[in-house]
Amino acid sequence: MPLFMLAPCAAQTLPALSARDVAVLAGTCVTCHGPGGQPPAGSPDRSIPALRGQSSAALLARLQAFQAGQVAGATVMPRLMQGYDAAQLQALAEWFARLGQEAP
Protein backbone atom coordinates (compact mmCIF):
# COMPACT_ATOMS: atom_id res chain seq x y z
CA MET A 1 0.00 0.00 0.00
CA PRO A 2 1.44 3.41 -0.92
CA LEU A 3 2.30 5.69 1.97
CA PHE A 4 0.11 8.52 0.70
CA MET A 5 -2.96 6.37 1.36
CA LEU A 6 -2.13 6.25 5.08
CA ALA A 7 -1.87 10.02 5.51
CA PRO A 8 -5.60 10.68 6.14
CA CYS A 9 -5.58 8.19 9.02
CA ALA A 10 -2.65 9.88 10.70
CA ALA A 11 -4.48 13.22 10.72
CA GLN A 12 -7.41 11.90 12.79
CA THR A 13 -7.72 13.12 16.35
CA LEU A 14 -7.21 10.67 19.15
CA PRO A 15 -10.02 10.11 21.64
CA ALA A 16 -9.83 12.00 24.94
CA LEU A 17 -7.69 10.37 27.60
CA SER A 18 -9.55 8.45 30.26
CA ALA A 19 -8.88 9.08 33.94
CA ARG A 20 -7.16 5.70 34.05
CA ASP A 21 -4.86 6.62 31.14
CA VAL A 22 -3.88 9.85 32.87
CA ALA A 23 -3.28 8.01 36.15
CA VAL A 24 -0.88 5.68 34.34
CA LEU A 25 0.96 8.63 32.80
CA ALA A 26 1.11 10.38 36.18
CA GLY A 27 2.61 7.23 37.68
CA THR A 28 5.75 7.96 35.70
CA CYS A 29 5.97 11.44 37.22
CA VAL A 30 5.64 10.32 40.83
CA THR A 31 8.75 8.17 40.49
CA CYS A 32 10.79 11.36 40.91
CA HIS A 33 8.26 13.95 42.11
CA GLY A 34 6.86 11.81 44.92
CA PRO A 35 3.50 10.24 45.69
CA GLY A 36 0.69 12.51 44.59
CA GLY A 37 3.22 14.93 43.12
CA GLN A 38 4.58 15.88 46.54
CA PRO A 39 8.20 14.92 47.32
CA PRO A 40 8.60 13.25 50.72
CA ALA A 41 9.33 15.61 53.63
CA GLY A 42 13.04 16.08 54.13
CA SER A 43 13.81 15.03 50.57
CA PRO A 44 17.48 15.83 50.00
CA ASP A 45 17.09 16.78 46.32
CA ARG A 46 15.50 20.24 46.13
CA SER A 47 15.90 20.33 42.33
CA ILE A 48 12.79 18.17 41.92
CA PRO A 49 9.78 20.41 42.64
CA ALA A 50 6.37 19.48 43.97
CA LEU A 51 3.76 19.26 41.23
CA ARG A 52 0.77 19.12 43.55
CA GLY A 53 -0.93 22.45 44.05
CA GLN A 54 0.51 24.30 41.08
CA SER A 55 -1.93 25.73 38.56
CA SER A 56 -2.58 23.68 35.45
CA ALA A 57 -1.49 26.65 33.32
CA ALA A 58 1.87 26.90 35.11
CA LEU A 59 2.44 23.16 34.93
CA LEU A 60 1.52 23.01 31.26
CA ALA A 61 3.80 25.94 30.40
CA ARG A 62 6.69 24.25 32.21
CA LEU A 63 6.08 20.87 30.53
CA GLN A 64 5.91 22.55 27.13
CA ALA A 65 9.13 24.46 27.85
CA PHE A 66 10.87 21.20 28.73
CA GLN A 67 9.55 19.60 25.56
CA ALA A 68 10.80 22.51 23.45
CA GLY A 69 14.22 22.41 25.12
CA GLN A 70 13.77 25.89 26.57
CA VAL A 71 14.75 25.16 30.19
CA ALA A 72 18.42 25.91 30.82
CA GLY A 73 20.26 23.27 32.79
CA ALA A 74 17.47 20.69 32.53
CA THR A 75 18.76 17.19 31.96
CA VAL A 76 16.11 14.49 32.25
CA MET A 77 12.82 16.33 31.71
CA PRO A 78 13.46 17.49 28.11
CA ARG A 79 14.13 13.88 27.13
CA LEU A 80 11.10 12.54 28.95
CA MET A 81 8.76 15.14 27.48
CA GLN A 82 9.61 14.06 23.93
CA GLY A 83 7.41 11.01 24.48
CA TYR A 84 4.23 12.99 25.21
CA ASP A 85 1.79 14.66 22.86
CA ALA A 86 -0.08 17.91 23.54
CA ALA A 87 -3.19 16.18 24.92
CA GLN A 88 -1.10 14.13 27.34
CA LEU A 89 0.76 17.20 28.60
CA GLN A 90 -2.54 19.02 29.16
CA ALA A 91 -4.01 16.01 30.97
CA LEU A 92 -0.98 15.71 33.26
CA ALA A 93 -1.04 19.41 34.09
CA GLU A 94 -4.73 19.20 34.99
CA TRP A 95 -4.20 15.98 36.99
CA PHE A 96 -1.55 17.46 39.30
CA ALA A 97 -3.35 20.82 39.61
CA ARG A 98 -6.49 18.99 40.70
CA LEU A 99 -4.54 17.08 43.38
CA GLY A 100 -3.67 20.39 45.03
CA GLN A 101 -7.35 21.28 45.30
CA GLU A 102 -8.29 18.15 47.23
CA ALA A 103 -8.45 18.11 51.00
CA PRO A 104 -5.26 16.65 52.56
Side-chain angles (χ1 to χ4, degrees), residues 3-104:
L3 234 29
F4 69 88
M5 294 181 81
L6 296 176
C9 296
Q12 293 177 353
T13 348
L14 296 174
L17 295 170
S18 71
R20 182 177 179 167
D21 291 340
V22 181
V24 170
L25 290 174
T28 304
C29 304
V30 301
T31 300
C32 296
H33 291 275
Q38 185 67 43
S43 179
D45 190 356
R46 300 252 185 241
S47 66
I48 300 174
L51 302 177
R52 178 187 200 108
Q54 294 190 39
S55 74
S56 61
L59 287 169
L60 180 59
R62 188 72 168 165
L63 294 174
Q64 290 170 331
F66 279 125
Q67 192 176 54
Q70 298 172 338
V71 180
T75 56
V76 175
M77 288 300 295
R79 292 183 180 126
L80 290 174
M81 292 301 96
Q82 296 310 305
Y84 295 94
D85 64 26
Q88 291 170 326
L89 293 181
Q90 179 71 45
L92 284 170
E94 291 172 5
W95 173 273
F96 285 105
R98 208 171 20 254
L99 286 179
Q101 296 170 357
E102 296 173 354

